[in-house]
Amino acid sequence: LFRSQSRSAPSPVSRGAMTQHVLKGLAEKQAAEAAIKKNKPPLAPQSMAILTKGLLLALTAWALWQDASRDAEARMTLKTGLYVLVVSYVYCDYWLWMLHCFLDRKENLVSKLAEIKRLAMSFQDHHDFPATLLTENHLGEIDNLVSGVAGTGLLLGYWTSPATKLIMVGICAWGSLGSLNHFYCHATTHGYKVPALYKYGQQWGLLPTSKHHKTHHTAPFEENWNFLNGAYKLYESVYFATGSSYNALFAMFYTCNPIVMQTWCLALGIFA
């Protein structure tokens, strides 16, 4: 606190240098955006980091080994599998909506947490330069989050059931699907051919469409924060009813994210 108070204000020279740096960065992004629209370079390959994949595979393998080690009558059934799919999807739909809505808030551009500030800048820059996404490994941007979820699942794995472990894997899988569909929404908007899963998933109403997501990219960017098809209309109705409360989003983001939620659920015996 005392150090921050004792700092002198930036000199006109340093402020000018910072302004020039920001303007140069904007100019570079504008040039890249224009080049993408004009030349249509190949879509960037999408992939997860080896560590992230390894953590997910380890959590999946542990769940399957744990289940195989149980007595036959205690093992997972098709009903358990349906439970895993539904719970992981419903929660992931909520989490992705909340994550997107929270990081779109201007307040996070000055967050004291470097990762939150970085993500907020990335999300909000994307509104101004949407096409640059097509030259980036968009799926790889969630590596840290997915690794955190899977890593927490492994740390708590001694006390959790096979179904709980697979729910965490499912949340990461649905999140990856949402991330990739977001990428291919933009690819479709810019005239690229996309894999059949995303083409027909959007056509058949299983995934958010490029048209639906394009609405989010219309100023003031205040709707359609969803990455999956779910209860986004309910979430947005409640959000607007609170007066678009940042404090409510802040509380939900830090207490209901999939890393912290694992601890809450274990403590309350929900996912034992």
Side-chain angles (χ1 to χ4, degrees), residues 182-228:
H182 175 231
F183 178 84
Y184 289 117
C185 276
H186 284 281
T188 299
T189 297
H190 288 86
Y192 287 87
K193 291 184 178 180
V194 302
L197 172 64
Y198 304 96
K199 176 182 177 180
Y200 294 109
Q202 291 182 29
Q203 287 183 4
W204 297 341
L206 301 175
L207 292 168
T209 65
S210 56
K211 182 178 179 181
H212 171 88
H213 185 65
K214 192 173 183 179
T215 304
H216 174 73
H217 279 271
T218 304
F221 319 111
E222 288 292 321
E223 61 180 322
N224 294 2
W225 284 284
N226 58 306
F227 284 115
L228 296 173

Side-chain angles (χ1 to χ4, degrees), residues 98-105 108 246 249-250 253-254:
M98 188 246 291
L99 171 75
H100 192 180
C101 188
F102 179 70
L103 292 176
D104 272 1
R105 293 294 296 247
N108 292 314
Y246 175 74
L249 277 178
F250 183 93
F253 182 83
Y254 287 106

Side-chain angles (χ1 to χ4, degrees), residues 22-84:
V22 171
L23 291 175
K24 181 180 179 182
L26 288 173
E28 289 175 349
K29 288 181 178 180
Q30 289 171 342
E33 183 89 356
I36 291 167
K37 291 179 178 179
K38 181 179 179 180
N39 302 320
K40 284 188 65 176
L43 294 174
Q46 301 297 297
S47 62
M48 278 186 174
I50 294 175
L51 174 61
T52 306
K53 290 179 182 178
L55 291 170
L56 285 172
L57 288 173
L59 189 58
T60 303
W62 191 352
L64 297 177
W65 173 83
Q66 184 182 6
D67 188 59
S69 301
R70 289 176 157 187
D71 293 334
E73 61 273 12
R75 292 176 187 166
M76 293 187 292
T77 62
L78 290 177
K79 186 177 179 180
T80 310
L82 181 62
Y83 163 75
V84 167

Side-chain angles (χ1 to χ4, degrees), residues 230-252:
Y232 73 94
K233 289 185 179 180
L234 172 63
Y235 307 146
E236 292 179 9
S237 296
V238 174
Y239 174 60
F240 294 135
T242 67
S244 302
S245 170
Y246 175 74
N247 290 333
L249 277 178
F250 183 93
M252 287 192 297

Side-chain angles (χ1 to χ4, degrees), residues 253-268:
F253 182 83
Y254 287 106
T255 61
C256 298
N257 66 71
I259 295 175
V260 174
M261 277 294 288
Q262 292 185 68
T263 307
W264 285 120
C265 290
L266 181 62
L268 296 174

